[in-house]
Amino acid sequence: MREEKFMREAIRLAQVKMRAGQGGPFGAVVVRRGEIIARGWNRVTSANDPTAHAEVMAIRAACRKLKTFQLAGCELYTSCEPCPMCLAAIYWARLEKVFYASSRRDAAKVGFDDELIYREVARPVSQRLIPMEQLLRADAGKIFAEWKDKPDKLVY
């Protein structure tokens, strides 16, 4: 089955790059028309970048390769169920389908627990653990008004 081939590559990347000390045990590949077009692995600790998750890295590589910011017609294979950040990136990239191996509960059992973030996203801003305060809304709103009327904007 071709899906298993792609998932095996995501799992292989997770293991190889983890053993090499490049980050946590996560790997991902982006596939288009039955071909792997990009690979990503967790680089959080090696790049000192909390956003360098395998899925995000694979999405970035695929977009660079295809010279686009949308991955319609592509699938993502990832060694673990995407965290909230990666899930958002998947939606922004417009991926067609996601396949994952381990669940978020499997990840939590070894110290990668995203439940706090899932809960925080669902809470009203005023009830989140990290205080958030709105400032200069009207000033920022002027930029949105300008964007709305910008004739040469690239909609995304």
Side-chain angles (χ1 to χ4, degrees):
M1 176 187 258
R2 80 179 189 114
E3 287 90 1
E4 289 181 6
K5 173 182 126 181
F6 300 133
M7 185 59 75
R8 287 190 197 291
E9 176 61 7
I11 293 168
R12 184 194 72 78
L13 276 170
Q15 185 179 50
V16 167
K17 299 303 182 175
M18 174 197 68
R19 288 179 176 172
Q22 293 192 12
F26 304 96
V29 296
V30 175
V31 174
R32 184 175 75 162
R33 297 185 198 125
E35 177 188 346
I36 294 175
I37 60 165
R39 290 170 170 80
W41 54 90
N42 183 283
R43 297 182 199 173
V44 170
T45 56
S46 61
N48 293 317
D49 180 352
T51 69
H53 290 199
E55 298 91 337
V56 170
M57 301 307 290
I59 288 167
R60 289 173 181 168
C63 288
R64 276 192 307 273
K65 181 172 183 170
L66 298 176
K67 295 177 177 37
T68 183
F69 53 84
Q70 294 185 346
L71 298 175
C74 296
E75 301 168 336
L76 179 76
Y77 292 77
T78 179
S79 63
C80 188
E81 182 179 353
C83 75
M85 176 185 70
C86 293
L87 185 60
I90 288 162
Y91 277 94
W92 279 115
R94 313 283 200 288
L95 284 153
E96 198 166 285
K97 189 169 184 177
V98 175
F99 297 87
Y100 65 93
S102 296
S103 72
R104 68 192 209 204
R105 285 165 187 76
D106 297 331
K109 289 177 186 173
V110 297
F112 297 98
D113 192 352
D114 298 324
E115 282 307 312
L116 170 72
I117 300 169
Y118 281 105
R119 285 192 308 271
E120 284 293 293
V121 167
R123 288 182 187 197
V125 172
S126 64
Q127 294 177 16
R128 292 187 181 151
L129 293 176
I130 297 176
M132 297 187 181
E133 184 177 337
Q134 189 173 29
L135 294 173
L136 302 175
R137 181 178 180 205
D139 291 0
K142 292 174 188 173
I143 300 167
F144 279 155
E146 185 178 334
W147 170 259
K148 183 180 175 193
D149 297 332
K150 189 175 187 329
D152 61 341
K153 68 184 169 210
L154 186 57
V155 179
Y156 60 97

